[in-house]
Structures are given as C-alpha cells and as structure tokens.
Amino acid sequence: MTIDHIYLRAPEPEDVDRLFLWENDSEDGLHGHWARAPLSRFQIWEYVNSYDANPTTQDGLRLMVVCGGETVGTVDLYDIDLYNRHASIGIYISRQWRGKGIGKLTIESIETYASGKLGLHSLSAYCIGDNVVSHRLFEVAGFEVAGRLKENVRIGKRYHDMDIFNKIL
C-alpha cells in the first residue's frame, strides 16, 4: 500500500510520549547514532512546551508528519543558513509506516516549505555509509551523493563513513 497524502504540523503536547519513545529508540531513534545519552520525558515536554516554529530565531525546525490522522514521524531542518540559502534535513518515519512512500512525500513537503517559505536554494542530508534504506530514500527524492567523510561516526567500537547528500531546490 502506497500513501499519497501527508501533512506537516508543529509538535503538540500530545506528541510528548511518542517523541520520548522515538528519541530513545536504541535501534533507530530520531538522533540515531548521534545521541550521546537518552532524553527524559521532561526534557521533551519542555521542548514541545516552549517550541518556537520560527526557524530564523531557533537552531532549526521540527515538524510532525501526519498521515491518515495519525502522527507517523518527524522531519527536521537544521543548520539553517539564510544568507547562503541552505539547510540540512533529517527525517524519521516510525517503523510500522515505512515502505509506504511517506518518506518521499515528507521530503517533497519540506522541500516545498524550504524553498517557498524560507527561500532556500539547497538541502543536504547526512547518512551513515551502510544505511541502505536512507540512501535509497534520498536518491529517490532526487538527492545526489556530494561526498563521503571517511570513518566519521563512531558506533560502539566501530567507525563508519558518513555520506553527504545534496539537492538543489
């Protein structure tokens, strides 16, 4: 089954428990291999409670992905550089909703927002070298591999390459 419609919205208080589970999922949480320590429910509640959707005054922008009335993931714009008109993108779709086209629709929606509302010219994404699913998602969405950082991320005792994807909007 392929999904043909999603929408993006700001985080709401009812998202706290969901975000708590996703952020702290040791297999593939929102921070994935980046997290150094688990986040508390209170930290997430404070984040949602004080959320400011103005990406020009914040470190970035997080939006919730909604499909069929159910919140199924998140998408982030971060390292937003309005002078150079560039940002990085991160995406998380919960396991039970993967493989249905939601990731591609999410990327298309955030691209529309990034170019139309923020006037961005390009987006980048960073993927662990052996993350085939993420590579495929960004390639299907029209991103190209722009480079590779060798042994750039440590997971446990192993180092992994980091691939940089880029797309001109």
Side-chain angles (χ1 to χ4, degrees), residues 72-132:
V72 301
T74 66
V75 62
D76 295 282
L77 286 179
Y78 62 98
D79 293 339
I80 299 170
D81 180 344
L82 293 177
Y83 179 79
N84 291 302
R85 305 286 182 204
H86 172 80
S88 295
I89 178 178
I91 182 172
Y92 176 87
I93 304 299
S94 63
R95 286 186 200 139
Q96 63 270 30
W97 289 92
R98 294 178 189 166
K100 299 176 183 349
I102 295 171
K104 185 174 184 284
L105 290 173
T106 300
I107 292 173
E108 289 170 356
S109 294
I110 201 68
E111 286 175 353
T112 299
Y113 175 83
S115 63
K117 299 285 187 190
L118 299 178
L120 298 184
H121 176 68
S122 66
L123 292 175
S124 293
Y126 297 83
C127 299
I128 300 294
D130 58 1
N131 187 337
V132 177

Side-chain angles (χ1 to χ4, degrees), residues 1-164:
M1 165 174 79
T2 300
I3 306 295
D4 63 357
H5 179 74
I6 58 108
Y7 71 91
L8 305 177
R9 64 166 176 78
E12 297 285 348
E14 63 265 16
D15 296 316
V16 169
D17 289 330
R18 181 178 294 111
L19 287 168
F20 175 74
L21 292 172
W22 290 348
E23 288 280 0
N24 293 303
D25 183 340
S26 61
E27 267 188 55
D28 61 3
L30 288 176
H31 289 294
H33 307 295
W34 312 100
R36 303 229 190 273
L39 294 174
S40 72
R41 187 182 182 285
F42 180 72
Q43 286 172 306
I44 294 169
W45 180 86
E46 280 192 326
Y47 168 78
V48 170
N49 191 46
S50 64
Y51 182 75
D52 179 357
N54 183 349
T56 62
T57 60
Q58 300 302 307
D59 291 337
L61 176 72
R62 168 165 288 174
L63 297 172
M64 307 303 290
V65 180
V66 180
C67 178
E70 187 170 342
T71 304
V72 301
T74 66
V75 62
D76 295 282
L77 286 179
Y78 62 98
D79 293 339
I80 299 170
D81 180 344
L82 293 177
Y83 179 79
N84 291 302
R85 305 286 182 204
H86 172 80
S88 295
I89 178 178
I91 182 172
Y92 176 87
I93 304 299
S94 63
R95 286 186 200 139
Q96 63 270 30
W97 289 92
R98 294 178 189 166
K100 299 176 183 349
I102 295 171
K104 185 174 184 284
L105 290 173
T106 300
I107 292 173
E108 289 170 356
S109 294
I110 201 68
E111 286 175 353
T112 299
Y113 175 83
S115 63
K117 299 285 187 190
L118 299 178
L120 298 184
H121 176 68
S122 66
L123 292 175
S124 293
Y126 297 83
C127 299
I128 300 294
D130 58 1
N131 187 337
V132 177
V133 174
S134 289
H135 279 219
R136 185 169 177 270
L137 171 62
F138 284 106
E139 288 169 352
V140 165
F143 283 67
E144 297 178 355
V145 176
R148 174 170 275 192
L149 303 171
K150 298 296 237 173
E151 298 186 13
N152 187 255
V153 177
R154 183 173 58 99
I155 303 170
K157 294 182 179 183
R158 293 186 49 221
Y159 286 87
H160 298 263
D161 295 345
M162 176 68 69
D163 291 333
I164 306 166

